[in-house]
Amino acid sequence: MTKLAFIGTGFVADYYMTTLANYPNLDLVGAWDLDAGRLQKFCKFYKVEARESLHDILSDDASIIVNLTTPESHFSVNQAALEAGKHVYCEKPLAMSVKEAERLVSLAEERGLTICGAPANAL
């Protein structure tokens, strides 16, 4: 069983939850969001454990972080996750510039981790 955690519990997280049951080898072990009210609502509805901080979720035993934050936060959250030794699956884009995205890919390679982004809906 592969453990994963969500960072960001807005409307995109709901889409992920509708398909998570299709992947029985994935276990959502926690979630965190800057908006405590939204986090509690999401966790209560889906029966997911809420984490109190970014540090807590990155210290968790999840091996994959699913980054569902706003695009402006993607680079910093992805970088923090990689630095914590986590694989990253990020909603598009990986970062707000090609240079930042290249830095993330290099960091993942240096650490032997995988970083990938969600495909465009049109594809």
Side-chain angles (χ1 to χ4, degrees):
M1 179 86 44
T2 301
K3 296 180 181 184
L4 58 102
F6 286 1
I7 298 180
T9 57
F11 76 93
V12 174
D14 290 319
Y15 290 123
Y16 278 73
M17 291 304 294
T18 63
T19 60
L20 190 58
N22 296 331
Y23 302 93
N25 291 331
L26 296 177
D27 181 23
L28 181 60
V29 297
W32 177 75
D33 196 296
L34 278 173
D35 183 324
R38 180 172 53 216
L39 172 65
Q40 291 306 319
K41 193 177 204 179
F42 175 88
C43 289
K44 182 177 180 182
F45 185 82
Y46 291 110
K47 297 175 179 56
V48 174
E49 287 191 43
R51 299 297 185 257
E52 294 189 22
S53 69
L54 180 61
H55 178 267
D56 287 347
I57 198 116
L58 294 178
S59 300
D60 207 338
D61 62 349
S63 60
I64 302 171
I65 295 296
V66 179
N67 184 352
L68 304 174
T69 62
T70 61
E72 296 79 18
S73 300
H74 286 180
F75 175 76
S76 61
V77 170
N78 290 338
Q79 182 178 28
L82 292 169
E83 289 174 346
K86 309 293 185 179
H87 300 284
V88 174
Y89 183 89
C90 182
E91 261 302 316
K92 58 202 163 295
L94 289 181
M96 296 302 288
S97 73
V98 171
K99 185 176 181 178
E100 286 181 337
E102 288 172 341
R103 286 175 46 201
L104 292 171
V105 170
S106 292
L107 179 59
E109 287 175 351
E110 289 168 15
R111 301 206 174 204
L113 297 167
T114 299
I115 185 168
C116 58
N121 291 339
L123 298 177

